[in-house]
Amino acid sequence: MIEKHQTEPIYSIQLKQSSYVVGVAAGRFPYLLHWGASIPAVTREDGPGRPPLRAFEVADFPEGDASSSSLPVEYALFGGADYRAPSVLVRDREGAPRSTLELLESTVQSGPPELSALPGVDAAEEHLSFLFRVAETGLRLVLTYAALPEIDVVLRHVRLENRSDDPAAAYSVERLMSVTVPVEAGRGGAGRAPGGAAHQAAAAGAGAPAAGSGWELLTLDGAHARERYPHRTALRPGTTAIGSRRGSSSHRHTPWAALVPPDTSEHRGEAYGVGLLYSGDFLIEAEVDEEGACRMNAGLHPDTTRFTLAPGEAVDAPQCALGFSRDGLNGLSHCFHGLVADYLTPAAWRGRPRPVLLNSWEAAYFDVTEADILEIGRTGAQLGVELLVLDDGWFGERNDDTTSLGDWQVNRKKLPGGLERLAGGIHELRLQFGLWVEPEMVSRDSELYRAHPDWCLHVAGEPRLESRNQLVLDLSRAEVRDWMADWLTELIDRVGIDYIKWDMNRYLSNVGSAVAPAGRQAEVPYRYMEGLYAVLGLVTERFPEVLFEGCSGGGGRFDLGMMPYFPQYWTSDNTDAVSRLPIQYGSSYLFPQAAVGAHVTSVPNHQVGRSAPLGFRSMVAMAGNWGFELDPRELSEREAAIIRAEIGWYREHRALLQFGSFYRLENPLVSYSRESSWLVVSRDRSEAVAFWFRPFAEANRRGVRWRLAGLDPDRYYRGSYMRTEEVSSGSREEHDLGGPLSGAELMHRGLPLPPMEQDYAGIRLHLRADAHL
Ligand code: GLA
């Protein structure tokens, strides 16, 4: 619900547990009055909910005043007296920055705002839009706000248009942010809430408490095979930033961040999240100014992405989702999990159980044959697997990673009956058939490259840098997009494919196009993303029943922008269960578990050489969308029996595991023993499954109490549990928890954990509310 003030351009966006109140001061400063817990709508000058700051702000910043650097503005153009990092930097033909906004119109309309071809949520029932003119130019700036009240998410979008009549009036856009968020509005900054990281650092003699250090920033950062570790840092004066210049959002940083006061925990306290619906170069920055105020920008990376805006042209920044919760970081995650699960995931896959898959990669690598894949499928089917995925190696002369990307014809030496016969054979086993592709790439050693050497991204005169022996196709070109959509569509149609793993195994470099219009090479990173989204949109809409899984060297480019195409994503090439604990824990800040691919693999593990027992590997992978990546023919009878039983257990609890509310309980990165815990709770809180792990035993540790979350405090639960080592030894006997125990007791007092004095300890606990109490 968006309510307008009687006379002023002030709007209250009312969500389930929060309010977002914006206005325009002095006709030119879009600014934030409040973002946080619900407050009454601001509708009248003299009535309840009168905007307390408005009068003072408007009076203090009259026309011509140079002090706008202190205003909590929602969007700022560089060039005036706001010296903070700007939202937009736009220069006219002479190179002068244009900075003055004039409000032309503010409206609330039903339905979602008009969005660009970039990914976006178009489900909102109404939206607010501000239309500004950039003074003395033909430039128009449209800021829109749409609300998803149920999940406390506000979606913001920005479009910059050149409506000049003068054909020579082109502008250069050197920076384009999706949002500027002055999160400090209404809150004291400096010294707030002692006890957090900043306060402790100061107490330890590390220096004076910094102005504005009342905020901490949580980001998800990593590398290949070590994706999305959570990092929480106290903000100091100046700018703290994450971003990507790699052409994709990358493994390094996820285009999402949370701003929290130091006393916010997983379960309590305010948390503000900013997530970009974009998968290319991005920047998220938090700037603490000289007055201790903090503001965030999130949008396109200005180092790599710039535009020329000729008359009649427009450019859109990616849509940005802002989430707020008072229930700590778990509460904030629920906002974003809801966004992914209920709004971004393709409609046909919302809440739809995901099959237990078996992937050929670690079983066969490039050495695939029809007979082997059928055998793997047959053995997998006997275990209870539901989907067999043929990974890399099936096409061209692809015997290693040096060749054939772009030549998407089946290799008849390996698969003499073609993909059709293989898919038929897999279907006869009552399995679904899935296939790996890497459509965005071309090997130098390929028919495609020999025929179209200018179809790859390149800059004339610069070397074409390879990574994993491959170049990137230029998706800004229409003929490349058409070629890609055509072969993919034909392949899926002809073969009868149920699942596609869409991989992307290198970053972009030399990002130029042979066909970009004169002077517009700096737009190519953005045009690439537009092109990619166009093909993804076309193919996934053409085959709504096909399950598409995203991948990028494991969990690179795992971001909100990919979620409208990929109901699930391969989280990391690192499949070691101990390594997976922090990767999955970090991923859970943003992504619901059904989106997070997690496979049980063989030991010694192929990435780190560790040999974790099967029960441990199986249970850890249940934090995500569960499957296998091993050669089932190599399992012993005992292992096969364990896996068969585990698949049975998983399928029985699948709906809860994949779609229940996810709560983080213990962070594996804080203790020597890597203790880690989480649970999923059904929507009606009648059922839950909780996991607790201690991969490395440590001497002389006092027993811990395992405190759960998300249960109904007033209901009583009965439970049964199994330990990892019992599963590993083949026992299926569930232990009775005793009880019934009240939800309040399970959450506030906790369960004393039995002694576990060996490595790879763990427990899986199933709880069900007692119908008789
Ligand atoms: C990437 C993926 C792997 C696998 C290989 C195939 O590394 O992350 O899962 O598909 O490519 O080459």
Side-chain angles (χ1 to χ4, degrees):
M1 165 100 142
I2 305 178
E3 293 186 58
K4 186 187 181 311
H5 187 273
Q6 217 174 20
T7 52
E8 298 294 325
I10 293 176
Y11 295 86
S12 296
I13 304 172
Q14 299 292 13
L15 304 111
K16 195 169 173 189
Q17 298 185 42
S18 58
S19 305
Y20 195 105
V21 187
V22 281
V24 177
R28 54 195 182 99
F29 300 112
Y31 75 124
L32 181 65
L33 279 116
H34 173 73
W35 179 27
S38 298
I39 59 171
V42 176
T43 52
R44 282 170 39 203
E45 207 65 49
D46 55 348
R50 185 182 73 84
L53 294 176
R54 194 193 67 80
F56 136 76
E57 275 159 3
V58 175
D60 277 8
F61 298 97
E63 202 66 26
D65 191 299
S67 312
S68 58
S69 223
S70 306
L71 266 179
V73 290
E74 288 266 285
Y75 214 69
L77 278 60
F78 178 78
D82 185 340
Y83 302 108
R84 296 165 290 186
S87 327
V88 166
L89 173 48
V90 56
R91 294 185 191 275
D92 63 20
R93 230 177 348 168
E94 305 303 323
R98 307 305 307 230
S99 61
T100 304
L101 292 177
E102 293 168 358
L103 180 67
L104 295 179
E105 201 177 280
S106 60
T107 49
V108 176
Q109 287 163 275
S110 59
E114 192 194 321
L115 296 172
S116 68
L118 298 177
V121 177
D122 59 2
E125 280 177 14
E126 55 183 349
H127 72 275
L128 158 68
S129 69
F130 294 114
L131 173 64
F132 293 95
R133 170 177 36 222
V134 181
E136 304 297 319
T137 73
L139 289 174
R140 298 285 183 280
L141 178 80
V142 190
L143 295 188
T144 64
Y145 298 77
L148 302 175
E150 280 308 302
I151 54 169
D152 285 288
V153 164
V154 172
L155 296 155
R156 286 180 54 181
H157 175 245
V158 169
R159 175 170 295 164
L160 194 58
E161 300 172 359
N162 183 351
R163 293 195 197 161
S164 301
D165 298 328
D166 173 4
Y171 295 87
S172 65
V173 182
E174 298 183 3
R175 172 184 258 255
L176 183 60
M177 290 290 136
S178 303
V179 291
T180 288
V181 194
V183 202
E184 93 296 0
R187 280 151 229 283
R192 189 173 188 275
H199 179 81
Q200 283 155 16
S213 59
W215 291 106
E216 293 180 0
L217 190 72
L218 175 76
T219 53
L220 306 175
D221 322 289
H224 175 242
R226 191 162 43 73
E227 293 90 341
R228 283 173 298 287
Y229 279 22
H231 293 102
R232 188 165 160 172
T233 337
L235 290 179
R236 51 167 197 80
T239 302
T240 305
I242 56 165
S244 173
R245 299 183 194 84
R246 292 163 189 267
S248 81
S249 57
S250 93
H251 305 78
R252 299 299 185 281
H253 302 288
T254 303
W256 177 88
L259 204 60
V260 289
D263 51 358
T264 288
S265 70
E266 289 288 6
H267 308 290
R268 272 170 287 281
E270 296 180 331
Y272 298 79
V274 174
L276 285 169
L277 278 67
Y278 193 61
S279 317
D281 291 335
F282 75 96
L283 177 68
I284 296 181
E285 56 187 1
E287 182 176 6
V288 175
D289 69 16
E290 68 277 20
E291 295 179 358
C294 173
R295 95 171 175 191
M296 286 182 86
N297 286 325
L300 300 170
H301 202 300
D303 287 359
T304 66
T305 313
R306 297 177 177 203
F307 303 90
T308 300
L309 214 52
E313 291 186 330
V315 60
D316 293 87
Q319 202 176 32
C320 185
L322 305 179
F324 170 80
S325 176
R326 295 169 72 190
D327 300 324
L329 287 160
N330 274 317
L332 185 66
S333 291
H334 292 157
C335 302
F336 285 94
H337 290 186
L339 178 68
V340 173
D342 301 336
Y343 295 94
L344 292 176
T345 298
W349 289 95
R350 289 180 200 156
R352 178 161 163 183
R354 310 293 163 75
V356 176
L357 75 78
L358 170 59
N359 180 297
S360 70
W361 179 238
E362 289 196 14
Y365 291 103
F366 296 98
D367 193 12
V368 296
T369 65
E370 182 177 340
D372 272 342
I373 295 299
L374 281 172
E375 263 311 296
I376 289 174
R378 187 167 298 116
T379 323
Q382 286 161 3
L383 298 175
V385 160
E386 297 159 324
L387 159 68
L388 189 281
V389 180
L390 171 57
D391 208 282
D392 203 346
W394 60 267
F395 54 94
E397 294 300 320
R398 186 84 171 162
N399 300 316
D400 56 32
D401 64 11
T402 62
T403 173
S404 298
L405 292 169
D407 298 346
W408 298 104
Q409 294 80 34
V410 72
N411 181 322
R412 294 260 166 196
K413 283 175 267 171
K414 296 180 178 181
L415 306 175
L419 287 168
E420 294 87 332
R421 193 167 82 191
L422 177 63
I426 295 294
H427 286 147
E428 271 171 31
L429 296 167
R430 298 185 167 274
L431 292 179
Q432 296 173 14
F433 177 66
L435 193 66
W436 177 97
V437 290
E438 194 179 356
E440 296 160 72
M441 299 295 155
V442 60
S443 306
R444 214 183 267 266
D445 179 15
S446 67
E447 297 304 323
L448 182 71
Y449 189 75
R450 284 184 278 275
H452 300 286
D454 66 338
W455 272 20
C456 67
L457 292 172
H458 64 281
V459 172
E462 293 286 335
R464 299 181 179 194
L465 297 179
E466 292 177 30
S467 173
R468 209 194 189 206
N469 311 299
Q470 60 201 49
L471 297 162
V472 185
L473 289 171
D474 177 1
L475 290 182
S476 73
R477 297 179 66 150
E479 64 271 54
V480 178
R481 294 196 296 272
D482 291 347
W483 164 83
M484 189 181 290
D486 284 352
W487 73 256
L488 268 164
T489 308
E490 190 276 333
L491 178 76
I492 298 170
D493 247 347
R494 171 168 48 83
V495 176
I497 294 173
D498 307 295
Y499 160 108
I500 286 280
K501 178 175 173 184
W502 181 302
D503 210 340
M504 190 279 194
N505 279 318
R506 63 157 292 183
Y507 300 132
L508 278 50
S509 60
N510 314 103
V511 188
S513 170
V515 299
R520 290 182 181 250
Q521 293 288 347
E523 293 176 20
V524 177
Y526 178 90
R527 304 291 169 217
Y528 179 91
M529 292 313 306
E530 277 187 327
L532 172 62
Y533 290 132
V535 179
L536 279 171
L538 207 124
V539 177
T540 55
E541 275 164 34
R542 168 87 171 68
F543 299 104
E545 292 300 309
V546 172
L547 176 57
F548 285 81
E549 175 155 349
C551 178
S552 177
R557 207 169 68 177
F558 191 1
D559 52 51
L560 293 177
M562 285 289 149
M563 293 293 101
Y565 315 100
F566 300 131
Q568 56 195 56
Y569 212 94
W570 182 226
T571 307
S572 177
D573 276 347
N574 191 337
T575 57
D576 165 55
V578 177
S579 309
R580 273 297 185 119
L581 288 171
I583 294 172
Q584 292 168 184
Y585 197 85
S587 302
S588 80
Y589 281 98
L590 181 54
F591 301 109
Q593 61 277 22
V596 173
H599 298 169
V600 180
T601 56
S602 57
V603 288
N605 175 264
H606 292 201
Q607 291 75 40
V608 299
R610 188 177 282 123
S611 291
L614 186 52
F616 186 88
R617 280 179 276 150
S618 170
M619 284 195 197
V620 168
M622 286 184 185
N625 188 332
W626 198 64
F628 293 84
E629 195 155 323
L630 45 71
D631 190 337
R633 297 169 302 177
E634 289 172 4
L635 297 169
S636 68
E637 259 178 52
R638 189 182 59 86
E639 288 171 325
I642 293 170
I643 288 182
R644 203 174 298 116
E646 284 289 276
I647 291 180
W649 192 92
Y650 182 83
R651 285 167 59 164
E652 193 184 323
H653 301 282
R654 168 161 40 195
L656 174 57
L657 289 165
Q658 292 187 348
F659 301 108
S661 303
F662 189 96
Y663 289 83
R664 287 174 301 278
L665 299 175
E666 259 340 300
N667 179 350
L669 290 168
V670 301
S671 68
Y672 164 84
S673 48
R674 291 277 183 261
E675 267 163 43
S676 182
S677 178
W678 68 87
L679 93 164
V680 285
V681 185
S682 64
R683 299 283 155 121
D684 65 0
R685 299 197 283 176
S686 67
E687 207 185 343
V689 180
F691 295 86
W692 184 92
F693 299 101
R694 183 193 285 154
F696 306 125
E698 190 181 16
N700 235 337
R701 286 285 306 273
R702 199 177 284 269
V704 287
R705 277 194 178 271
W706 188 19
R707 299 210 295 173
L708 308 183
L711 303 174
D712 185 337
D714 299 326
R715 283 164 98 173
Y716 284 78
Y717 294 84
R718 291 190 185 277
S720 59
Y721 65 92
M722 283 186 78
R723 300 187 199 184
T724 46
E725 71 268 25
E726 291 165 336
V727 174
S728 301
S729 72
S731 159
R732 298 306 300 175
E733 204 185 316
E734 298 266 349
H735 303 280
D736 186 3
L737 184 66
L741 295 165
S742 84
E745 183 177 346
L746 286 163
M747 294 192 290
H748 305 317
R749 180 161 183 268
L751 292 165
L753 285 173
M756 285 182 269
E757 286 162 351
Q758 71 289 331
D759 284 350
Y760 307 113
I763 283 195
R764 174 171 67 204
L765 169 66
H766 178 239
L767 292 169
R768 200 186 284 282
D770 193 312
H772 306 293
L773 287 164

